Amino acid sequence: MTSVGDFLIERLRAWGVRRIFGYPGDGINGIIAAIARAGDGVDFIQVRHEEMAAFMATAHAKFTGDVGVALATSGPGAIHLLNGLYDAKADHVPVVAIVGQSATSSIGGEYQQEVDLASLFKDVASAYLVTVTNPAQMRHAVDRAVRIALAERTVTAIVVPKDVQEEKAVPNPPHVHGAIQSGLGYAAPRTIPFDDDLRAAADILNAGKRVALLVGAGAIGAEDAVVAVADRLGAGCAKALLGKSAVSDDHPWVTGTLGLLGTRASSDMISDCDTLLMVGTNFPYSEFLPKQGSVKAVQIDIDARRLGLRFPVDLNLVGDSGETLRALLPLLERKPDSGWRERIARSRADEARVTGTRAEIAPTAGTVNPEYAMMVLDARLPDRAIVTCDAGTTTNFAARHLHMRAGMKFSLSGGLATMGSAVPYAIAAKFAFPDRPVLALTGDGAMQMNGMAELVTIARYWKRWADPRLIVMVSNNRDLNQVTWELRIETGAPDFPGAQHLPDVPYAAFAELLGFRGIRVERADDLPAAWDRALASDRPVVLDVLTDPNHAMLPPHISLEQAKQFTSAFAHGDPETVPALAQSIKSVLASVLPKPAGDEPGR
Ligand SMILES: Cc1ncc(C[n+]2csc(CCOP(=O)(O)OP(=O)(O)O)c2C)c(N)n1
Ligand SMILES: [Mg+2]
């Protein structure tokens, strides 16, 4: 007999799903058993915690463009999934969640592990959420969950009570009134604006003298078109963090990321431009965008919901990034050289000088300057590397110091900015691209939260991967450093060790226990050789770098208000570190305070 569980798996396979990230429980026994019966047909990846399964499904979707699938049992398993599902929803990638539920006979009876999943998932899976109580529903439940997730780039969920999983499948609902005969398949449309609107966009862009592009995750895969348009317009290009790999940093007119975690070259370019073209980005920080009314602007996004949301542009275009830019290109005029690109290149060179200086700031004894640590990696990033990053200072430094080259991939939890995602993202990347080097850059807080447990998952699977290099770099500053600095900058509060400090954990030694290479680095001089060893390893590596929590972590342009708050944190006395912080802060403030000539503070 083919059960409903069997048919669920069969139908997912028919949709092209080959991998399910999940964790068992008796609420999904009928589905787990079906996966076992399916044999090689579908690969079940066992994680340590359901949230990790959802992160992996999210990362799978981000790195491959296909739908990610996460499976969890009823009650606690379903609840654990949620944060990872919100990550997919916030970053607009297709993920289908499949969760168990108490048997239909006990629903409504407060039976053990019964949770009102229809209410719990109502928000995260608002695009499509169905409880399958009749076997004949399964066909359209799967067809709709996958198709809607792909078409709307969001999260959908199928809840299956445990008894229903074991019932006889109805793969072909009867040809009668009330039955649904759904089908397979989704072909993404080619979305381009009407000619008149493209012409209007071209008029705006042609009239500009200093054009800046801001590209996001929506431009990933459209690099050729971005480059062609930027070259035609003599434009510069900044990137939202999720779009870091969209355009190679090898182009001298690419200024890197924009925003709190961005470069000064990007923020200077955006404030000096007269025309802005936003492509596939939902970049949130308005203070890093031009002042309203100060520039002409065009935005391109495949989803009209995100148009005109962050900046009141003159023209909103619904369209696919690559297709729309290609359609726009013949309408764009080559601009005479006004020196704009040269100015951008100079600003980039200045930036490199400043970052170089920051990387030279002497760290507190026994630690490594975290910016130096990132620059050592930047000089060694292997071709085709896939880089994942966690919420924390590592993201700031990776955002500013890592240069993406063509063929690399980069992602992180952008919209949700949740901790604990870098290692599960890296695992999903490794399954999707087992022949590519994958690097997870994480803080010690995130490592303790999820990363350490997920090393166990790596230990289980790494021998399957053609290239065994999954390198986890832990920035071990024994502190929730990102938030410690935010406390200082935003509220003027001195350090609060009880809340902010973390225990030192021997990450490298733990990795060795799992059969990995563990490398602990306490001195900057040892770091280049440590990275070389890690990158030449024949097995996964944990690189535990003791980084300096006193290294000032400030945005590219600190406002006067923030500088005041910040100074007051030290006037009140940061309990343990005031002298140690002084040098770092002085150097960093000098590099980030607004330019004196003609520039207004606080931009
Ligand atoms: C799940 C979750 N909890 C809390 C936060 C708030 N938060 C953002 S970064 C951060 C500190 C991270 O510390 P760590 O991983 O050690 O990185 P560091 O900043 O020290 O480099 C915290 C607590 C968050 N983003 N996500
Ligand atoms: Mg830390």
Side-chain angles (χ1 to χ4, degrees):
M1 180 194 87
T2 302
S3 70
V4 169
D6 291 321
F7 180 63
L8 162 66
I9 300 305
E10 190 184 299
R11 199 72 179 175
L12 285 171
R13 270 185 51 74
W15 271 98
V17 172
R18 294 290 178 273
R19 189 170 302 126
I20 296 179
F21 300 98
Y23 202 82
D26 80 321
I28 48 170
N29 273 347
I31 298 173
I32 295 287
I35 296 175
R37 284 193 291 273
D40 290 342
V42 60
D43 200 6
F44 178 81
I45 306 302
Q46 185 208 60
V47 297
R48 299 313 103 205
H49 181 300
E50 291 83 352
E51 183 189 351
M52 305 305 109
F55 282 144
M56 288 180 205
T58 305
H60 176 86
K62 286 183 171 187
F63 290 131
T64 67
D66 298 333
V67 67
V69 178
L71 172 64
T73 191
S74 53
I79 294 167
H80 270 182
L81 273 186
L82 282 176
N83 192 50
L85 295 181
Y86 273 104
D87 184 34
K89 186 175 170 109
D91 285 349
H92 316 290
V93 292
V95 166
V96 175
I98 298 167
V99 290
Q101 176 59 297
S102 310
T104 48
S105 53
S106 59
I107 286 179
E110 280 191 39
Y111 196 69
Q112 187 181 32
Q113 295 195 332
E114 184 191 348
V115 167
D116 179 359
L117 296 180
S119 297
L120 189 72
F121 279 68
K122 193 177 161 71
D123 179 46
V124 75
S126 56
Y128 185 69
L129 166 63
V130 61
T131 301
V132 174
T133 51
N134 181 312
Q137 280 176 279
M138 189 53 95
R139 181 162 132 185
H140 68 257
V142 176
D143 292 348
R144 298 206 73 204
V146 178
R147 187 180 292 108
I148 292 170
L150 285 168
E152 297 184 16
R153 290 171 303 279
T154 192
V155 176
T156 59
I158 306 175
V159 179
V160 197
K162 114 187 215 87
D163 52 332
V164 178
Q165 298 162 21
E166 312 271 7
E167 284 178 34
K168 187 169 182 321
V170 181
N172 292 304
H175 189 226
V176 296
H177 183 71
I180 291 178
Q181 308 182 75
S182 68
L184 296 166
Y186 172 74
R190 177 177 185 221
T191 316
I192 34 174
F194 285 109
D195 289 346
D196 284 354
D197 295 320
L198 288 170
R199 162 65 47 207
D203 288 347
I204 293 174
L205 297 168
N206 287 334
K209 294 202 162 46
R210 298 181 307 280
V211 182
L213 271 64
L214 173 61
V215 305
I220 290 175
E223 175 154 13
D224 290 352
V226 171
V227 172
V229 164
D231 279 345
R232 183 71 56 87
L233 295 171
C237 178
K239 300 180 280 189
L241 189 50
L242 276 173
K244 189 170 171 65
S245 65
V247 190
S248 164
D249 289 300
D250 283 344
H251 304 289
W253 43 270
V254 171
T255 55
T257 48
L258 175 70
L260 284 171
L261 316 181
T263 65
R264 182 167 174 156
S266 291
S267 88
D268 285 348
M269 176 183 72
I270 295 291
S271 50
D272 293 345
C273 74
D274 66 2
T275 308
L276 177 67
L277 172 58
M278 295 164 73
V279 183
T281 176
N282 194 23
F283 176 81
Y285 309 124
S286 51
E287 71 274 29
F288 286 92
L289 292 173
K291 281 211 179 78
Q292 291 189 47
S294 68
V295 299
K296 287 285 189 187
V298 175
Q299 185 179 1
I300 300 169
D301 204 293
I302 199 150
D303 188 345
R305 276 172 172 269
R306 292 194 281 282
L307 286 169
L309 175 62
R310 307 295 182 204
F311 190 75
V313 298
D314 299 274
L315 191 62
N316 283 303
L317 298 179
V318 177
D320 170 85
S321 302
E323 296 289 345
T324 305
L325 292 175
R326 272 187 288 276
L328 202 51
L329 190 62
L331 308 175
L332 300 176
E333 293 155 10
R334 189 168 295 282
K335 287 192 196 303
D337 183 5
S338 65
W340 173 234
R341 273 194 160 176
E342 230 180 275
R343 195 160 141 192
I344 293 167
R346 265 202 311 276
S347 168
R348 240 188 90 153
D350 276 358
E351 171 102 36
R353 194 182 37 74
V354 169
T355 22
T357 334
R358 290 174 58 146
E360 281 166 14
I361 297 170
T364 311
T367 68
V368 176
N369 173 326
E371 302 206 49
Y372 171 74
M374 211 48 88
M375 289 179 81
V376 171
L377 168 60
D378 187 46
R380 290 169 172 72
L381 262 190
D383 286 341
R384 300 173 73 239
I386 304 178
V387 181
T388 71
C389 238
D390 222 285
T393 60
T394 326
T395 295
N396 298 21
F397 299 135
R400 287 192 200 142
H401 298 303
L402 290 189
H403 292 86
M404 293 286 115
R405 304 193 300 273
M408 293 181 174
K409 290 178 188 282
F410 175 94
S411 203
L412 78 175
S413 169
L416 190 63
T418 175
M419 278 174 72
S421 49
V423 175
Y425 267 40
I427 294 173
K430 213 60 217 183
F431 276 111
F433 301 97
D435 62 336
R436 295 176 64 157
V438 176
L439 287 81
L441 311 177
T442 173
D444 47 346
M447 194 64 186
Q448 292 172 16
M449 184 179 274
N450 293 335
M452 293 186 73
E454 233 31 61
L455 291 183
V456 177
T457 304
I458 299 172
R460 175 170 189 160
Y461 293 111
W462 72 267
K463 290 197 175 130
R464 286 192 191 183
W465 301 328
D467 180 335
R469 288 175 301 170
L470 192 169
I471 303 171
V472 179
M473 201 264 309
V474 186
S475 175
N476 181 1
N477 48 27
R478 290 125 1 250
D479 191 65
L480 297 169
N481 205 231
Q482 171 84 16
V483 177
T484 301
W485 282 102
E486 284 165 354
L487 273 172
R488 287 172 180 150
I489 297 168
E490 290 169 15
T491 69
D495 199 4
F496 175 15
Q500 300 305 122
H501 292 195
L502 294 169
D504 188 6
V505 169
Y507 307 99
F510 180 63
E512 293 270 346
L513 289 176
L514 291 172
F516 305 166
R517 187 131 295 135
I519 307 172
R520 181 162 164 118
V521 175
E522 299 180 8
R523 288 163 8 110
D525 289 351
D526 297 334
L527 197 57
W531 264 116
D532 290 341
R533 250 185 92 204
L535 288 164
S537 173
D538 60 355
R539 63 196 62 200
V541 180
V542 172
L543 186 59
D544 173 3
V545 184
L546 261 88
T547 47
D548 185 2
N550 299 324
H551 184 84
M553 202 290 301
L554 301 175
H557 282 292
I558 185 168
S559 69
L560 285 187
E561 194 45 45
Q562 286 174 326
K564 273 188 228 150
Q565 295 280 28
F566 184 67
T567 319
S568 112
F570 297 102
H572 288 107
D574 206 313
E576 43 185 288
T577 48
V578 177
L581 284 165
Q583 188 207 357
S584 167
I585 289 162
K586 231 172 98 202
S587 322
V588 176
L589 273 179
S591 72
V592 297
L593 277 169
K595 283 191 284 188
D599 252 339
E600 53 187 291
R603 197 176 44 200

mmCIF file of all heavy atoms in Angstrom, residues 9 37 453:
data_model
loop_
_atom_site.group_PDB
_atom_site.id
_atom_site.type_symbol
_atom_site.label_atom_id
_atom_site.label_comp_id
_atom_site.label_asym_id
_atom_site.label_seq_id
_atom_site.Cartn_x
_atom_site.Cartn_y
_atom_site.Cartn_z
ATOM 1 N N ILE A 9 6.280 12.115 -0.197
ATOM 2 C CA ILE A 9 7.682 12.085 -0.636
ATOM 3 C C ILE A 9 7.756 11.931 -2.163
ATOM 4 O O ILE A 9 8.538 12.618 -2.837
ATOM 5 C CB ILE A 9 8.441 10.925 0.073
ATOM 6 C CG1 ILE A 9 8.398 11.127 1.600
ATOM 7 C CG2 ILE A 9 9.882 10.830 -0.418
ATOM 8 C CD1 ILE A 9 8.913 12.468 2.089
ATOM 9 N N ARG A 37 11.654 4.204 3.056
ATOM 10 C CA ARG A 37 11.204 3.330 1.957
ATOM 11 C C ARG A 37 11.604 3.892 0.593
ATOM 12 O O ARG A 37 11.827 3.144 -0.352
ATOM 13 C CB ARG A 37 9.672 3.153 2.012
ATOM 14 C CG ARG A 37 9.207 2.193 3.096
ATOM 15 C CD ARG A 37 7.739 1.821 2.909
ATOM 16 N NE ARG A 37 6.818 2.922 3.170
ATOM 17 C CZ ARG A 37 6.317 3.233 4.388
ATOM 18 N NH1 ARG A 37 6.628 2.494 5.436
ATOM 19 N NH2 ARG A 37 5.490 4.250 4.542
ATOM 20 N N ALA A 453 27.074 22.547 18.274
ATOM 21 C CA ALA A 453 26.261 21.342 18.105
ATOM 22 C C ALA A 453 26.242 20.923 16.641
ATOM 23 O O ALA A 453 26.303 19.732 16.316
ATOM 24 C CB ALA A 453 24.837 21.600 18.600
#
